[in-house]
Amino acid sequence: PIPDKPALVTSNDRERILRDAAYDAGIRCMWLAQIMAQARHETQQFDHMIELGSADRFNRSYGGILGNDKPGDGNRYRGRGFLHHTGKEWYSRIGAGIGLGDQLVRRPQDLEKPDIAARAAIWFWKNRVMNRVGEDNAGNIDMVTNIINPRGKEEARDQRASYLARYLGKGTMTLHSHF
């Protein structure tokens, strides 16, 4: 039998949108707990669908990397969506992957819309996280975090782990994700 959808941890409607979309896309058990925990951290409790900070900071941090090749691209393609996807290269790859063509490159703010952000997170999760981490390591918060935020591997690790434990303690999710 397919496990029921896990209970929500926050009261934010965006959490439900991501949970339902991920579940409907076949993401279950440990993988579902991981995507929810990572998204909860990246969005600060599902409250911020865009990375917070100054344009100057983003241009310094992300300028000249991740496909950001023009002045201002670091800020234009800063982290957005449930997993705070960053960089023109990822906006382009994700847009193509979810059938939007170059829409996210032309209108980066569209990645802040929960329905598009959920599709983007699921595409990234299935195409970048699950196949790189592997089923045997699905519960490894460090491996998953390193893919979501390579620069922030140590950043708030305990918080991410706490969120993962909260999602695992809700509903019918278990530590084993055999499906």
Side-chain angles (χ1 to χ4, degrees):
I2 297 174
D4 293 330
K5 291 179 186 174
L8 301 173
V9 173
T10 75
S11 60
N12 193 312
D13 194 47
R14 292 176 184 146
E15 180 188 32
R16 181 194 52 76
I17 290 168
L18 178 59
R19 180 210 53 191
D20 291 355
Y23 185 89
D24 292 347
I27 297 173
R28 302 278 195 280
C29 305
M30 180 61 78
W31 289 122
L32 183 56
Q34 280 276 19
I35 195 172
M36 297 304 296
Q38 293 288 336
R40 184 175 175 201
H41 173 77
E42 291 294 327
T43 61
Q44 298 178 8
Q45 313 280 340
F46 297 98
D47 287 335
H48 300 284
M49 298 297 280
I50 186 169
E51 190 174 6
L52 302 176
S54 71
D56 187 53
R57 176 185 152 232
F58 296 125
N59 287 324
R60 273 194 327 272
S61 297
Y62 304 136
I65 63 170
L66 302 170
N68 296 330
D69 55 2
K70 294 185 175 107
D73 277 357
N75 182 54
R76 183 171 170 82
Y77 301 106
R78 63 182 156 165
R80 283 188 173 87
F82 285 111
L83 299 178
H84 281 199
H85 307 290
T86 305
K88 187 191 302 185
E89 177 183 340
W90 281 110
Y91 280 54
S92 177
R93 290 172 75 177
I94 290 168
I98 65 173
L100 295 179
D102 69 349
Q103 177 180 330
L104 298 180
V105 172
R106 289 184 291 107
R107 292 193 315 261
Q109 66 276 11
D110 286 356
L111 195 48
E112 296 172 51
K113 297 176 180 177
D115 59 329
I116 291 175
R119 290 169 50 202
I122 292 162
W123 180 89
F124 186 86
W125 202 259
K126 287 185 166 187
N127 290 281
R128 187 79 173 165
V129 177
M130 291 174 77
N131 63 0
R132 291 184 69 197
V133 172
E135 186 68 27
D136 290 342
N137 293 308
N140 187 318
I141 194 85
D142 295 318
M143 288 180 75
V144 172
T145 299
N146 191 46
I147 296 168
I148 301 299
N149 188 352
R151 291 181 167 187
K153 188 163 43 171
E154 300 301 320
E155 171 192 316
R157 186 217 181 271
D158 291 343
Q159 184 181 62
R160 291 174 195 260
S162 172
Y163 291 163
L164 178 61
R166 290 279 311 272
Y167 282 105
L168 289 171
K170 300 285 182 178
T172 59
M173 288 193 286
T174 65
L175 289 174
H176 303 287
S177 55
H178 299 287
F179 40 100

